[in-house]
Amino acid sequence: MCGRFAITLPTDAMAQLFAARPANDLPEVPNYNVCPTNRIHVVKSDGADRQLVAMRWGFLPHWYKTPSDGPLLINARAETIAQKPAFRKACRERRCIIPVTGFYEWTKDAEGTRFPWYIQGAETLAMAGVWRRWDRGEDAVEACAIVTTGANRAMSAIHHRMPVILPADDWALWLGEAGHGAATLMKAAPDEALTFHRVDRKVNSNRASGPELIEPIEAD
């Protein structure tokens, strides 16, 4: 799964990387502790025009009467996304990319103590996502979820799930700009695509902030 991440790339650089037109209300960067329900950077496309926009991290199905009406849907499983009522239409029609610098995952010891790890690639990671516009009268929110899949061999040492990470050559296909076949992209990244290291347990708090959150520490 993916329940917390960092984004440090400046907005202008993000827009240039994805060849996307930036909106005017994007979240501030850097943010070393992006949490569920935060507004995050998302790349979407109508087939001709890519946009870098802000969305709520936490998908809102059409039957939710309020944003807190049901479970917090921050991830969508690749194996079932096409069948789940919450995600199946978005999977066909509203796929997006969620840029991150790296993401966090946790392991536990025998006493249940949670130890955070920071996972990153050589460059900005493009996570596969799905989104929809949730509208209730005057309340309208664009909300998204990160698509996850079974972990590759390297990541399985930390967690059994991982985000679907898209190489640049696959961005157009995932965004619906290059025809059909996006389902083939929902797979684990190669083992060598990611590295990870232990970080301080202060990131266990969703109020923690600052670049020290991603600094490596010696594992206990």
Side-chain angles (χ1 to χ4, degrees):
M1 63 177 293
C2 180
R4 209 88 68 76
F5 65 82
I7 178 66
T8 64
L9 192 65
T11 295
D12 289 348
M14 225 182 300
Q16 183 175 6
L17 175 63
F18 291 97
R21 177 168 51 86
N24 295 322
D25 62 343
L26 293 167
E28 291 186 8
V29 284
N31 186 344
Y32 294 90
N33 193 6
V34 181
C35 303
T37 75
N38 286 173
R39 294 170 69 251
I40 65 172
H41 297 79
V42 174
V43 179
K44 66 176 184 176
S45 175
D46 63 6
D49 179 37
R50 276 188 200 177
Q51 303 168 54
L52 179 64
V53 301
M55 291 190 189
R56 177 190 191 265
W57 182 20
F59 195 88
L60 297 172
H62 67 85
W63 59 84
Y64 279 25
K65 294 180 174 62
T66 69
S68 58
D69 197 31
L72 182 58
L73 304 177
I74 61 171
N75 294 157
R77 295 174 66 95
E79 298 87 346
T80 58
I81 193 172
Q83 291 81 43
K84 290 287 186 181
F87 299 120
R88 61 191 177 199
K89 187 171 183 181
C91 180
R92 293 193 305 268
E93 302 175 4
R94 291 184 299 273
R95 297 184 298 274
C96 62
I97 292 173
I98 299 167
V100 309
T101 305
F103 61 98
Y104 300 97
E105 198 51 80
W106 281 261
T107 54
K108 291 183 180 180
D109 65 11
E111 287 73 43
T113 304
R114 300 175 76 234
F115 297 98
W117 298 76
Y118 183 67
I119 300 102
Q120 62 188 331
E123 301 174 330
T124 299
L125 301 176
M127 292 185 177
V130 291
W131 71 278
R132 77 176 301 272
R133 181 179 176 85
W134 180 87
D135 198 340
R136 285 292 182 275
E138 295 182 357
D139 297 322
V141 180
E142 288 190 347
C144 64
I146 293 168
V147 181
T148 67
T149 189
N152 61 26
R153 182 186 57 81
M155 268 293 298
S156 64
I158 300 176
H159 200 275
H160 66 286
R161 305 287 298 174
M162 67 182 295
V164 171
I165 297 167
L166 303 166
D169 288 347
D170 292 336
W171 294 349
L173 182 57
W174 183 254
L175 291 173
E177 300 166 344
H180 301 289
T184 64
L185 306 180
M186 291 190 287
K187 58 190 177 184
D191 287 347
E192 64 274 12
L194 300 173
T195 60
F196 46 85
H197 57 260
R198 268 284 314 278
V199 292
D200 196 281
R201 282 192 287 165
K202 67 176 63 176
V203 78
N204 290 2
S205 168
N206 58 15
R207 294 185 295 274
S209 63
E212 66 274 12
L213 296 183
I214 66 173
E215 293 298 319
I217 65 167
E218 296 230 1
D220 296 338

